[in-house]
Amino acid sequence: MDHLGKQVQELHERHLRVESLLALSEKLQAEFKERLQSGSQCMLPSHNYTLPNGKEHGTCLALEVGGSTLRVALIDLNGRASTQPLRIRRIVASTIDNRVRDLRGLAFFDWIAAKIREMLLGDREARLRTQSSQPLPLGIAWAFPIDQTSIRSGNIISMGKGFHCSTFKGSDLGDLITEACQRLNLNIRLDAIVNDSSAVVLSRAYVDPSTRLAVILGTGLNAAVHLPVRCLDESKFGARRFPSTAKINHVLVNTELSMFGKNAFPTTPWDEDLNARHILPDYQPLEYLLAGKYMGEIVRLVLVEATETCGLFNGKLPPDLSVPFCLETRILAAIEADFFPHLTLARFLREEWTLPGQPTPAEIRFIRQVVLAVSCRSQAYFTAAIHALSNLLHDMDDSLLRNGLDHISIGCDGSVINKYPGYMQKCQLLLDEMVRIDGTGQKKVVLESAGESAVLGAGVAVAMANAGA
């Protein structure tokens, strides 16, 4: 077991020196620039050309559809000068588990509409609004690739992450959501659709004008960046007219960051095993290496091998570890943080995995070694991707030199970046070191926690659409 533990650590950490990460960043930057010129799945220009000015006001319904959670909320926008610029009046979160992912046909969208109705039942004012002749405006933060045809419409490209409602590939998301609400007699008007990472940019920029980038790292991975329109080839705008640069300078770009890095980032045998078994192999290579859903699966695959070859758990794999993707990030966090004495951690694992006996001290050491190796690589690869995006922004947007701000803020949302022990802090330290060593002279890049920003950004997008932004 000691030999396998050292092998896991070496394979996961051998490319994590700052110099190696800077080289990975350069490869990613080249890939970013290539995809800004061609391709229909990455670097997708949105229909949001400006960032909020912080003066938008109103109340709306906001929906965030993520890889593992659906959030439905009522949002009040009170203005940047307010003591509470953005307020969630009421929010209901629902888990998107395998039962929901397995829904076929219209059932998934009917489930969403039912959750909207459930949330509205708890707010009298909003409930009365939907019963009146004046519809309640709705904004959607969507975590999956879409080809947007307007601020209010977009065709589903794919969903990934284990979802099975693939029959709607190419269908208009706005129509699917609107029709599902109509079937429940909900008087709702869809005013804005934004990618979830773009929504984080909008919500953070509403309160902090230094925001130009946002990332989401939880079950999955994505990022959005506000870039000059001239950086993108006309073909990236599809059937719509290429914006006149005399009138429009910038556009918010959904990077689909998860899809990058196939030929840039080193992998291990466990990564290759995961990819080969995946329902969509090679579809989101960077996400498979570092996002929450896959951190747990990589650890699980190592534990399976250790059980079969090294006698871990006395050579008998616990049934609770036999199902792919069953190992949740919260368990990895508990193992890594080790908030409790050794015996309590052993008892915790025994209960979580239904072990016949408590794991031995040697087994605990091995399991922690594996978890630490996987999370350390996740942090390093994530930081390399952030460095690549911030360098891309500096290279492409010379207006940053004239805006008077001494830093760029990156809004960070998602359970891993915001809740995994020490994750953001370690990434910030590593990012500072990368910026210091690369010698490009770019501004300081600051990671800012942005909880609930995707759902808040959906609300901001509605207010901007109604203001004619």
Side-chain angles (χ1 to χ4, degrees):
M1 209 152 37
D2 286 345
H3 175 73
L4 179 59
K6 291 177 182 177
Q7 182 185 25
V8 170
Q9 186 171 349
E10 179 186 353
L11 289 174
H12 279 83
E13 298 180 3
R14 68 196 314 179
H15 300 285
L16 304 190
R17 291 182 305 151
V18 170
E19 293 78 10
S20 298
L21 296 176
L22 287 171
L24 292 177
S25 173
E26 287 186 10
K27 291 180 181 180
L28 268 186
Q29 290 171 59
E31 202 174 338
F32 291 158
K33 291 175 181 178
E34 179 183 341
R35 298 293 183 91
L36 284 168
Q37 302 305 308
S38 63
S40 60
Q41 289 192 314
C42 301
M43 294 298 183
L44 307 174
S46 71
H47 286 259
N48 297 96
Y49 298 104
T50 61
L51 295 178
N53 58 26
K55 298 178 181 179
E56 299 84 358
H57 285 72
T59 297
C60 65
L61 182 63
L63 184 71
E64 178 194 354
V65 186
S68 60
T69 306
L70 170 73
R71 293 179 177 86
V72 187
L74 275 173
I75 307 295
D76 291 329
L77 288 85
N78 303 313
R80 186 181 293 161
S82 169
T83 55
Q84 192 174 15
L86 293 170
R87 182 173 79 96
I88 296 178
R89 184 191 301 180
R90 174 174 165 78
I91 187 168
V92 173
S94 303
T95 300
I96 299 178
D97 54 20
N98 287 333
R99 177 187 61 82
V100 176
R101 293 187 187 97
D102 286 340
L103 292 173
R104 261 68 171 182
L106 295 171
F108 177 67
F109 300 97
D110 287 336
W111 177 80
I112 291 175
K115 294 300 180 180
I116 293 174
R117 180 177 62 181
E118 177 184 319
M119 192 282 298
L120 290 173
L121 289 174
D123 189 281
R124 183 175 181 276
E125 180 183 337
R127 186 171 67 252
L128 291 174
R129 176 82 175 269
T130 61
Q131 295 169 357
S132 71
S133 59
Q134 190 72 19
L136 187 64
L138 167 68
I140 299 175
W142 184 254
F144 311 96
I146 62 171
D147 177 19
Q148 276 203 255
T149 51
S150 76
I151 190 62
R152 296 173 172 84
S153 60
N155 299 321
I156 296 174
I157 295 175
S158 180
M159 291 188 70
K161 297 183 179 71
F163 285 82
H164 290 279
C165 50
S166 57
T167 53
F168 291 101
K169 183 177 180 179
S171 298
D172 185 86
L173 173 63
D175 289 344
L176 291 169
I177 295 290
T178 299
E179 290 165 5
C181 289
Q182 289 173 344
R183 286 192 288 274
L184 292 181
N185 297 315
L186 298 175
N187 188 18
I188 289 169
R189 182 188 70 239
L190 178 59
D191 283 348
I193 298 173
V194 289
N195 178 265
D196 58 346
S197 57
S198 298
V200 179
V201 174
L202 295 178
S203 63
R204 286 301 305 164
Y206 186 82
V207 299
D208 179 1
S210 69
T211 304
R212 294 293 183 277
L213 277 161
V215 291
I216 293 182
L217 178 58
T219 303
L221 169 72
N222 200 10
V225 57
H226 199 233
L227 288 173
V229 169
R230 59 175 171 75
C231 298
L232 292 96
D233 187 80
E234 291 189 22
S235 63
K236 299 295 291 187
F237 291 83
R240 59 174 153 149
R241 182 178 297 177
F242 186 73
S244 169
T245 54
K247 297 180 179 179
I248 297 174
N249 296 318
H250 289 71
V251 62
L252 191 54
V253 177
N254 166 24
T255 66
E256 290 301 338
L257 181 60
S258 65
M259 295 182 174
F260 288 90
K262 173 62 180 175
N263 298 315
F265 287 80
T267 59
T268 70
W270 303 282
D271 298 319
E272 293 160 11
D273 188 13
L274 183 154
N275 184 62
R277 296 167 183 261
H278 200 280
I279 189 173
L280 292 171
D282 297 326
Y283 181 62
Q284 295 170 302
L286 188 53
E287 180 169 300
Y288 297 169
L289 293 174
L290 63 85
K293 178 176 180 177
Y294 302 99
M295 288 170 63
E297 181 61 6
I298 293 166
V299 171
R300 190 192 72 86
L301 290 172
V302 174
L303 298 186
V304 169
E305 179 177 333
T307 302
E308 294 173 348
T309 63
C310 303
L312 180 67
F313 306 129
N314 290 321
K316 297 179 181 179
L317 185 69
D320 290 336
L321 289 176
S322 64
V323 180
F325 298 102
C326 66
L327 187 46
E328 300 175 22
T329 314
R330 66 174 180 84
I331 297 178
L332 304 189
I335 294 170
E336 177 163 344
D338 196 5
F339 292 123
F340 22 62
H342 164 73
L343 288 177
T344 308
L345 175 57
R347 190 176 300 119
F348 169 79
L349 293 180
R350 179 182 182 182
E351 293 174 357
E352 285 289 339
W353 295 339
T354 321
L355 301 173
Q358 289 191 168
T360 66
E363 289 175 326
I364 290 288
R365 284 195 301 272
F366 172 77
I367 294 168
R368 287 199 77 234
Q369 185 177 24
V370 173
V371 170
L372 285 165
V374 170
S375 70
C376 183
R377 186 188 67 170
S378 173
Q379 293 155 15
Y381 280 6
F382 173 77
T383 305
I386 293 302
H387 180 270
L389 279 173
S390 62
N391 268 20
L392 176 76
L393 180 61
H394 278 89
D395 288 347
M396 297 288 189
D397 193 355
D398 54 15
S399 70
L400 292 176
L401 300 175
R402 304 188 301 270
N403 65 10
L405 299 173
D406 63 356
H407 70 283
I408 294 174
S409 294
I410 300 182
C412 300
D413 199 4
S415 56
V416 173
I417 187 67
N418 281 328
K419 296 181 180 179
Y420 197 92
Y423 197 103
M424 183 185 291
Q425 295 86 344
K426 293 174 184 176
C427 290
Q428 183 68 68
L429 290 172
L430 183 54
L431 182 59
D432 291 344
E433 185 69 3
M434 292 180 71
V435 170
R436 185 185 69 81
I437 290 178
D438 73 3
T440 58
Q442 66 167 275
K443 295 184 178 183
K444 181 176 176 61
V445 181
V446 181
L447 304 178
E448 297 281 1
S449 180
E452 305 294 359
S453 277
V455 71
L456 287 169
V460 173
V462 169
M464 293 178 68
N466 290 332

